Amino acid sequence: LPAELHEEMLRYGLGHREALEPSSTGGLRRRENWRRSHVDRAPPFGERVLPVICRVAEQAVERLGLEPFEMISRDIQFTAHNDGDYYRVHRDWTPEDTGHRRLTFVYYLHRQPLGFDGGGLRMFDTSEDGGQYFDQAYSKVLPRDNRIVFFPSYVWHEVEKVTCRSGLYEDSRFTLNGWLGVADERR
């Protein structure tokens, strides 16, 4: 993303710890001890960054071989993972409550030098209907500053445990993550 937007989001994350709340799993399948991080579900820069992300997402849809869609549904959140935080294997799409989602994105940002280890994103080989995944076959994306990753929302994935020796919030693994999709008929 453009340097000025990247810096604005990082400054926001570093300076607005109080805006973040403990994360949880959402939708119909709430699970305890499945996710540990902190999240702001309505970051103030969302409306400015989403059009930029959508332009890049159009290329991702084509490269991933997905059916093109009008990106009507746009959800975004700012997340911080610190020492011991994780998100176990999950997918961002289920027919019951998030069937409108088509494309997931994860944008990484963090202070330099890197203050944490781990936090890799594992994306598991998943059947096209999202019903099965293969835990021995996956791609792993390392959290690199100013990098965005797109994948189909039905793909099973996880955030590996983060180690942050300092324990300082400012050394967290920060992401701007969200979902692009068709109209949500439930709204």
Side-chain angles (χ1 to χ4, degrees):
L1 295 178
E4 65 278 358
L5 194 51
H6 173 268
E7 290 303 316
E8 176 187 344
M9 290 187 294
L10 186 56
R11 275 193 312 274
Y12 171 80
L14 294 172
H16 290 84
R17 182 179 188 173
E18 71 283 352
L20 280 69
E21 58 189 46
S23 59
S24 64
T25 58
L28 300 174
R29 295 184 177 94
R30 293 192 181 275
R31 293 179 160 174
E32 295 297 319
N33 301 318
W34 207 259
R35 180 181 188 191
R36 192 175 106 178
S37 60
H38 285 80
V39 63
D40 179 350
R41 297 186 193 286
F45 45 78
E47 291 305 313
R48 289 197 19 252
V49 74
L50 276 169
V52 178
I53 290 174
C54 285
R55 283 194 297 274
V56 179
E58 289 174 5
Q59 297 170 28
V61 167
E62 184 178 326
R63 290 186 75 184
L64 291 168
L66 300 176
E67 186 73 31
F69 63 94
E70 188 174 358
M71 296 177 195
I72 295 171
S73 172
R74 301 174 179 189
D75 295 310
I76 195 167
Q77 63 185 17
F78 186 87
T79 306
H81 285 85
N82 201 275
D83 194 52
D85 290 352
Y86 59 88
Y87 197 164
R88 298 189 197 286
V89 178
H90 66 285
R91 60 185 176 167
D92 297 333
W93 172 94
T94 61
E96 303 88 4
D97 61 343
T98 53
H100 60 284
R101 292 178 177 173
R102 297 294 182 267
L103 191 65
T104 295
F105 64 88
V106 180
Y107 174 74
Y108 298 102
L109 58 164
H110 54 76
R111 286 197 323 175
Q112 302 290 341
L114 187 66
F116 64 89
D117 292 311
L121 173 68
R122 284 190 189 185
M123 295 178 291
F124 296 94
D125 284 0
T126 303
S127 61
E128 289 209 22
D129 65 0
Q132 294 183 51
Y133 72 95
F134 308 95
D135 62 359
Q136 299 300 312
Y138 61 86
S139 299
K140 183 173 174 177
V141 177
L142 299 177
R144 294 200 178 120
D145 190 47
N146 200 15
R147 177 190 221 181
I148 193 164
V149 178
F150 294 95
F151 55 93
S153 295
Y154 67 80
V155 168
W156 291 86
H157 58 285
E158 73 176 332
V159 176
E160 296 176 321
K161 186 176 178 179
V162 171
T163 303
C164 183
R165 286 178 176 68
S166 74
L168 295 173
Y169 167 78
E170 294 81 5
D171 286 336
S172 294
R173 171 196 183 267
F174 297 113
T175 60
L176 186 68
N177 52 286
W179 310 272
L180 304 170
V182 298
D184 183 353
E185 300 300 327
R186 299 173 306 134
R187 292 185 184 177

